[in-house]
Amino acid sequence: MAKLSLFERRRRRVRTTLKAYAKGRPRLSVHRSGRHIYAQIIDDAAGRTLAAASTLGSTGGSNVDAAAKVGATLAEAAKKAGVTTVVFDRGGFLFHGRVKALADAAREGGLEF
């Protein structure tokens, strides 16, 4: 078995912990790249995405302000889909900077996690 990177070890640890505490709630999954940030709310039981948002179509860049806009947009899309509570899946990313800004904006938008 190949040795896993620190990122992959963190990602698996976070995902395993989430599965134990999810209790049927959808998962707010975040992916952060050098240029963009992506977020989606996934219903793992049905295997489908309920809502999604990213910085792809905007010219806002990849800063903390753009991540906050994505969080607010995702919260609005979640309300339309009827989702109020989620579990936050940060993947292997540390909870600071853009990931934290997205999470805080989603909370302010009405999502509970």
Side-chain angles (χ1 to χ4, degrees):
M1 185 168 170
K3 186 174 179 181
L4 299 175
S5 67
L6 291 175
F7 177 84
E8 188 61 32
R9 285 170 52 193
R10 249 193 331 266
R11 182 175 179 216
R12 287 185 181 187
R13 182 174 61 236
V14 167
R15 188 73 50 87
T16 302
T17 305
L18 283 183
K19 286 179 182 177
Y21 293 110
K23 296 184 176 98
R25 289 180 289 178
R27 175 169 52 100
L28 193 165
S29 178
V30 175
H31 178 72
R32 178 178 60 87
S33 72
R35 289 188 179 201
H36 296 286
I37 189 160
Y38 312 85
Q40 56 184 346
I41 297 177
I42 304 165
D43 181 4
D44 288 318
R48 56 187 287 254
T49 299
L50 305 174
S54 71
T55 57
L56 269 181
S58 68
T59 58
S62 64
N63 56 13
V64 173
D65 296 331
K69 288 179 186 174
V70 170
T73 305
L74 185 69
E76 289 176 19
K79 282 183 184 177
K80 288 179 184 174
V83 177
T84 56
T85 60
V86 295
V87 289
F88 188 74
D89 178 11
R90 62 183 174 85
F93 304 104
L94 299 178
F95 190 79
H96 72 98
R98 291 186 284 161
V99 176
K100 185 177 187 302
L102 188 146
D104 291 342
R107 282 190 184 112
E108 288 173 12
L111 283 179
E112 295 179 21
F113 55 92

